[in-house]
Amino acid sequence: MLRKGSELQRGDREVLLDLDYGGEAQTTDSYGSLHNGSYIPPRFVSTVLLYFVLVWEIRSRSERRKAQLAQWREKFVQNLESVGLLMEKVDQIIHFIKNAPWDVLVCYAEELCVRAPLQAQPNLDLNTSARVLSRLCIPNVMMESVPKRPLDYYTCAFRKSKMNRFLGCDDHENYFTNTQRHRIVYEILARTVYGKRKRAEVGVDRLVNEGVYTAAFPLHEGPFQLPKFEIRPDELNQRQILYHYWARWWKWSKYQPLDHIREYFGEKIALYFAWLGFYTAWLLPAAVVGTLVFVSGVMSMDCICAEVCNSGASYLMCPLCNTCKAWNMSDICAMAKVGYLFDHPGTVLFSVFMSFWAVTFLEYWKRKMATLAHHWDCMDFHEEEERPRPEFAAMAPTMEANPVTGVKEPYFPEKTRLSRMFTGSMVIIMMVRPSCVYLCMSSRPQAGTIANISSSIVNLGLILLMGRVYTALAEQLTKWEMHRTQTQYDNAFIMKVFIFQFVNFYSSPFYVAFFKGRFVGYPTNYGTLFGMRNEDCGPGGCLIELAEQLFIIMVGKQIINNIQEFIIPKVKAWQQKRTLAKVLGGKASQEPRRWEEDYQLVECEGLFEEYLEMVLQFGFITIFVAAFPLAPLFALLNNWVEIRLDAHKFVCEYRRPVAERAQNIGVWFNILEALSHLSVIANAFLIAFTSDFLPRLLYQYKFDNDLNGYVNFTLAYAPLNYTEYPMCRYKAFRDNNGNYSLFYWELLAVRLGFIIAFEHVVFFVLRAIDWIVPDVPESLELKIKRERYLAKQALAENQEALLVSRGRGAAPATPGTSSPDESDYIQRPRGLLA
């Protein structure tokens, strides 16, 4: 907000901080907007809470390098102390930031646009299921009262000049939450100079990257284990509350305490768990419908497959490969029954249902996301002055003025970056094409179902192995492209990894679904590629092979990932304990102190792997759901486990991450939207060309409603010049000379018409849903308007003077202003003071 007059400008300058030390001349060669102000002397407060830990290890380096690191460390600590942070050194290797003084917190709260409370309001019940069950008067077993739930407020951006308008402003020690203090302290650490500004030697992230510090992290609020003696729930610390009411396995049936998660870990992590819980809840109806579709196939498969099972030796089938022998149709009776479980009219309806489900889920998640963003005061959050990444600052060749702030920063030419991005995209295409062919060929079954399952398991192993290779390659390509900010880097990295993993996981199912068995030819005229006969589908058809692959890849990946998430953090924690023991040597205390216990925990590596796993799962349950209706059920079971695994990792096994603000799940939402639209197209082609639904439907329309003689109708005779197995049969709509029959062309027209009709109808309904369902609920719009009104009242510059002057009759009415009689309509803000 702008202020008028020199006095107000001087007031603004009072809140600015100098992030350098000593008496160095002030310059504008700094990061962010805090670069012009004067030094604020520290005013120590009584609290002794530990907020942030800086750790370094003494490693074998050259004496010159050790001296350089020590000099950087000393200057960095001096700068932090000059800002006013309270520092303490322990064992010569660990620094603690005990507290940030009130003046520092206030100044940075205004700089970072921290939201401050204006008026308390009742905590809202954000669970739709809870509201529905309450209206139906049904007991809600998922509801649980969690102590110390954070209060909900109408808020506005913090202003030091309007301090008395905010609730609780007199309680300096408790006004800012611990998470807000962490965020402010980290902002100071990220902006503090430790070397030369012209070399971009700024910030704790680059210090860690250079090896000056081993770790920098905020402390957990005590142990997560519950005390042995009996204690009231409201006496537990926040970490114990999260462990007792959320992270334990037997809390799988309870709602997640999202407000507590946000209060402890910040909005970015809380949004991930909100999305995961929302997605898991929406999987429940999809899993129920998919299971019913599967059961209906079980109940009706005997009558449908009777013609195959009772055929005896009537249908002698031609060999499926050059080394194979002829076989009787009746030999695959069991396989035909299993195949019908995934290929019956119910799967068609289910694929339509899942197309609507996917887009409706995303539409309602947008509403939920908007509600949470407002509830957590992040709706207007965006990075205006995001700092350069440490790696970028270290490797950028030149310094240029930032067009937004006017401050000189490391600069990399945009043309060079674009050329590198183009080269990187060529590398991606070159890597994707051979990997796609290789994974498709690795799915070739050699001798029936057992070999197909074995090859799918081998394929899964190759997929997981190649996934590691692709992630490492994407990381190197993204670093080479030299993206300035962490957000740009993350988005580019996510897109590369997703493209790699999309091909890695889905190329084999796509090959089986849409290409395998399409270019086989017929006896005496088989299609070949590099001298080898093109691969045909197995005796049971391609759809059952696709279902087998989807089951093994999807379920196998979930099981392996869950095992890794359970074991790997424990192994890393064990290694970290050994590292700390070596660092401390004989100085280790008998009872580990809070900072030692937290340093033994595993460093939090972010949410990338968690999101990637769920997004790939979303693709499996939407793109290929016509071939695997049980996919939502397996996804639901996995996600119940996933929520508890992730919760346990963050509460018990990870160091506490720096709380980050976010108003959405970022580029992952765009990927989910793309997958939901791709699923409509993929399911349309899957039903039209891979499933037998349309051939059966056309046969019923033209010949027999009960499908009598359908199997015989779908089999063609080998040409007369085929002497190896005379008069054998193969699955195709051809005449005795190998030419396509009239029914084939009619069926092709039906298939193409079905695809066009399916896509147009589904996309039309989806657009209607998008139009009908607003992204922001009406109740939320009213709350936003109410909050803006309160903020306007609380932060009005001259409102009180205007009211007083009108009350005394000192200000005569002038044209364009209200008369004294109208002053009743101008009210003081109510409930805004503590």
Side-chain angles (χ1 to χ4, degrees):
M1 300 181 184
L2 299 177
R3 301 184 183 184
K4 299 180 181 179
S6 58
E7 183 178 352
L8 293 176
Q9 291 174 3
R10 287 196 299 271
D12 278 347
R13 282 201 294 270
E14 289 178 358
V15 306
L16 302 178
L17 302 180
D18 176 22
L19 298 185
D20 208 349
Y21 69 95
E24 185 177 340
Q26 298 294 330
T27 69
T28 59
D29 193 12
S30 178
Y31 292 106
S33 60
L34 301 183
H35 53 264
N36 290 329
S38 57
Y39 166 73
I40 295 180
R43 299 178 183 177
F44 298 95
V45 293
S46 60
T47 180
V48 294
L49 292 175
L50 301 179
Y51 289 124
F52 227 92
V53 182
L54 302 176
V55 185
W56 75 86
E57 301 174 8
I58 302 175
R59 299 178 178 177
S60 57
R61 295 187 176 96
S62 65
E63 293 299 324
R64 183 177 179 181
R65 181 62 175 170
K66 287 182 180 179
Q68 177 69 66
L69 299 183
Q71 181 182 357
W72 282 347
R73 228 174 359 247
E74 181 180 357
K75 184 174 181 179
F76 187 68
V77 171
Q78 288 177 353
N79 288 348
L80 293 177
E81 290 177 342
S82 69
V83 172
L85 297 184
L86 308 187
M87 305 289 295
E88 181 177 327
K89 185 184 290 186
V90 180
D91 299 329
Q92 302 298 315
I93 63 169
I94 299 179
H95 271 95
F96 289 102
I97 298 173
K98 296 185 66 174
N99 191 22
W102 172 253
D103 288 342
V104 175
L105 292 174
V106 167
C107 294
Y108 269 87
E110 183 164 357
E111 169 69 20
L112 299 177
C113 296
V114 172
R115 305 286 292 188
L118 290 173
Q119 186 182 74
Q121 62 173 331
N123 279 315
L124 300 178
D125 189 358
L126 300 178
N127 292 309
T128 305
S129 60
R131 294 196 297 268
V132 172
L133 292 176
S134 176
R135 290 175 182 174
L136 298 176
C137 300
I138 299 176
N140 190 354
V141 297
M142 297 178 288
M143 184 68 71
E144 184 177 26
S145 177
V146 181
K148 293 185 177 180
R149 181 176 180 180
L151 295 177
D152 193 14
Y153 297 96
Y154 290 110
T155 63
C156 72
F158 181 82
R159 292 285 294 274
K160 181 181 179 181
S161 60
K162 301 296 180 181
M163 178 80 68
N164 61 334
R165 301 294 182 89
F166 299 112
L167 289 175
C169 60
D170 296 331
D171 188 1
H172 291 186
E173 295 188 9
N174 299 312
Y175 184 76
F176 295 105
T177 66
N178 285 342
T179 302
Q180 290 173 332
R181 291 172 185 264
H182 293 163
R183 193 178 294 138
I184 292 173
V185 168
Y186 178 75
E187 189 68 22
I188 297 174
L189 292 174
R191 295 183 179 189
T192 301
V193 177
Y194 65 86
K196 295 183 178 180
R197 286 192 176 99
K198 65 181 180 180
R199 295 181 182 175
E201 293 173 344
V202 179
V204 69
D205 290 333
R206 188 170 178 188
L207 285 172
V208 174
N209 194 55
E210 294 282 356
V212 180
Y213 289 107
T214 308
F217 55 90
L219 282 175
H220 280 292
E221 296 182 10
F224 67 86
Q225 298 92 345
L226 299 179
K228 297 180 180 179
F229 54 89
E230 199 168 325
I231 187 174
R232 296 199 314 271
D234 58 353
E235 294 178 351
L236 299 173
N237 64 45
Q238 285 189 324
R239 192 182 182 194
Q240 290 171 332
I241 289 174
L242 288 175
Y243 173 72
H244 182 72
Y245 292 93
W246 177 48
R248 295 198 295 177
W249 287 99
W250 45 88
K251 295 295 182 179
W252 65 270
S253 62
K254 304 299 182 182
Y255 291 127
Q256 296 186 95
L258 295 178
D259 287 338
H260 295 76
I261 299 171
R262 176 251 182 174
E263 185 79 7
Y264 194 75
F265 291 113
E267 291 81 10
K268 191 171 185 177
I269 292 176
L271 271 174
Y272 163 72
F273 282 104
W275 175 81
L276 182 57
F278 189 81
Y279 169 50
T280 303
W282 272 70
L283 280 174
L284 185 59
V288 171
V289 176
T291 304
L292 293 177
V293 168
F294 183 80
V295 171
S296 67
V298 173
M299 298 176 62
S300 59
M301 65 181 179
D302 289 332
C303 58
I304 296 296
C305 300
E307 188 176 356
V308 174
C309 297
N310 300 332
S311 62
S314 302
Y315 306 127
L316 180 67
M317 305 299 294
C318 298
L320 296 175
C321 62
N322 291 332
T323 59
C324 301
K325 297 182 180 180
W327 47 283
N328 289 317
M329 177 68 76
S330 59
D331 296 340
I332 64 165
C333 175
M335 193 175 298
K337 291 182 178 180
V338 174
Y340 186 76
L341 298 178
F342 307 100
D343 187 7
H344 60 90
T347 58
V348 178
L349 298 176
F350 186 54
S351 65
V352 177
F353 169 82
M354 286 303 296
S355 297
F356 293 148
W357 175 91
V359 176
T360 307
F361 157 70
L362 293 177
E363 287 298 320
Y364 276 90
W365 166 245
K366 284 194 287 188
R367 291 166 58 89
K368 179 79 169 181
M369 192 163 52
T371 303
L372 290 175
H374 177 265
H375 180 58
W376 293 338
D377 298 324
C378 290
M379 180 163 281
D380 298 326
F381 169 75
H382 59 281
E383 291 284 357
E384 291 183 350
E385 303 175 17
E386 192 172 359
R387 292 177 297 274
R389 295 185 307 114
E391 295 87 350
F392 177 85
M395 298 175 65
T398 60
M399 299 283 289
E400 296 286 344
N402 186 311
V404 177
T405 63
V407 178
K408 282 191 174 182
E409 292 182 354
Y411 176 76
F412 190 80
E414 191 66 25
K415 290 184 178 179
T416 307
R417 179 183 294 112
L418 292 176
S419 64
R420 289 189 177 189
M421 293 174 66
F422 178 77
T423 306
S425 63
M426 294 299 102
V427 173
I428 293 174
I429 293 173
M430 292 173 62
M431 290 294 296
V432 161
R433 290 182 63 184
S435 64
C436 181
V437 174
Y438 178 72
L439 289 171
C440 292
M441 297 304 292
S442 68
S443 66
R444 296 169 67 95
Q446 302 299 323
T449 304
I450 296 177
N452 187 37
I453 294 175
S454 301
S455 65
S456 298
I457 295 175
V458 173
N459 189 24
L460 173 61
L462 294 173
I463 286 172
L464 297 177
L465 177 62
M466 293 300 294
R468 298 293 180 184
V469 175
Y470 288 148
T471 301
L473 176 61
E475 185 176 5
Q476 294 303 317
L477 287 175
T478 310
K479 288 181 179 178
W480 183 60
E481 291 172 357
M482 291 291 289
H483 294 281
R484 175 183 172 273
T485 65
Q486 191 64 41
T487 300
Q488 294 170 348
Y489 176 88
D490 290 341
N491 290 341
F493 177 66
I494 288 171
M495 292 305 300
K496 286 183 180 63
V497 173
F498 176 74
I499 291 172
F500 278 139
Q501 296 289 43
F502 182 88
V503 176
N504 191 26
F505 278 93
Y506 300 144
S507 58
S508 180
F510 264 104
Y511 168 71
V512 175
F514 303 118
F515 298 99
K516 188 175 182 181
R518 297 287 178 268
F519 313 102
V520 177
Y522 57 92
T524 70
N525 189 27
Y526 286 115
T528 58
L529 181 64
F530 302 117
M532 295 185 298
R533 176 178 165 181
N534 289 338
E535 186 180 14
D536 199 356
C537 294
C542 283
L543 206 63
I544 187 173
E545 294 182 22
L546 178 60
E548 290 173 355
Q549 285 227 356
L550 292 173
F551 174 80
I552 292 172
I553 293 175
M554 177 182 170
V555 179
K557 174 183 176 296
Q558 291 179 166
I559 293 174
I560 293 174
N561 282 346
N562 288 336
I563 292 174
Q564 288 178 338
E565 290 188 23
F566 182 77
I567 295 177
I568 290 179
K570 299 185 183 303
V571 174
K572 288 183 177 180
W574 175 75
Q575 292 176 339
Q576 190 65 27
K577 288 181 181 179
R578 293 187 60 188
T579 301
L580 180 62
K582 291 180 181 179
V583 172
L584 293 177
K587 299 179 181 179
S589 57
Q590 295 293 332
E591 292 187 8
R593 292 166 288 189
R594 174 81 267 139
W595 51 90
E596 294 174 355
E597 292 180 352
D598 280 16
Y599 186 61
Q600 291 173 6
L601 300 178
V602 182
E603 181 182 2
C604 180
E605 298 179 351
L607 298 168
F608 169 76
E609 292 292 341
E610 317 299 339
Y611 273 119
L612 180 63
E613 181 183 354
M614 292 296 104
V615 167
L616 290 174
Q617 181 197 92
F618 183 82
F620 277 113
I621 68 170
T622 54
I623 296 176
F624 302 105
V625 73
F628 191 34
L630 290 179
L633 176 63
F634 288 111
L636 175 65
L637 297 176
N638 171 80
N639 289 4
W640 272 336
V641 176
E642 182 74 21
I643 291 175
R644 301 306 144 190
L645 277 175
D646 290 345
H648 190 269
K649 285 191 304 184
F650 276 94
V651 174
C652 306
E653 296 174 348
Y654 281 170
R655 295 173 191 164
R656 187 175 183 178
V658 177
E660 296 183 61
R661 300 186 71 194
Q663 62 178 339
N664 51 49
I665 61 176
V667 71
W668 294 110
F669 184 81
N670 299 329
I671 294 175
L672 291 171
E673 281 192 317
L675 287 176
S676 67
H677 288 80
L678 177 62
S679 68
V680 177
I681 301 173
N683 280 296
F685 277 90
L686 195 64
I687 295 168
F689 287 96
T690 307
S691 169
D692 280 342
F693 171 72
L694 292 181
R696 289 195 191 107
L697 195 64
L698 185 58
Y699 183 84
Q700 287 178 312
Y701 175 75
K702 292 194 65 175
F703 302 105
D704 191 293
N705 193 49
D706 295 328
L707 292 175
N708 294 321
Y710 172 74
V711 173
N712 180 62
F713 183 78
T714 60
L715 301 177
Y717 286 95
L720 297 177
N721 58 350
Y722 185 65
T723 57
E724 190 173 353
Y725 291 98
M727 300 299 291
C728 66
R729 312 291 295 273
Y730 63 99
K731 192 171 183 180
F733 298 106
R734 295 177 183 266
D735 58 20
N736 292 340
N737 296 322
N739 299 319
Y740 287 119
S741 64
L742 178 62
F743 187 86
Y744 169 82
W745 298 109
E746 293 175 342
L747 179 60
L748 180 62
V750 171
R751 283 170 167 167
L752 295 177
F754 173 82
I755 291 173
I756 295 173
F758 184 90
E759 291 178 356
H760 279 67
V761 170
V762 172
F763 281 127
F764 174 79
V765 175
L766 298 184
R767 294 285 74 79
I769 293 174
D770 189 12
W771 178 69
I772 293 173
V773 180
D775 294 345
V776 178
E778 183 178 355
S779 58
L780 179 57
E781 289 183 348
L782 292 175
K783 286 187 63 178
I784 293 173
K785 292 178 181 178
R786 170 66 177 167
E787 189 169 61
R788 288 174 179 170
Y789 169 76
L790 291 175
K792 183 179 178 180
Q793 296 279 42
L795 301 182
E797 294 285 349
N798 302 315
Q799 183 186 25
E800 288 191 1
L802 178 64
L803 290 174
V804 170
S805 63
R806 286 183 175 176
R808 294 176 179 175
T814 59
T817 63
S818 34
S819 63
D821 294 336
E822 294 172 329
S823 61
D824 292 338
Y825 294 97
I826 306 176
Q827 301 177 4
R828 295 176 181 268
R830 297 177 181 175
L832 303 184
L833 303 179

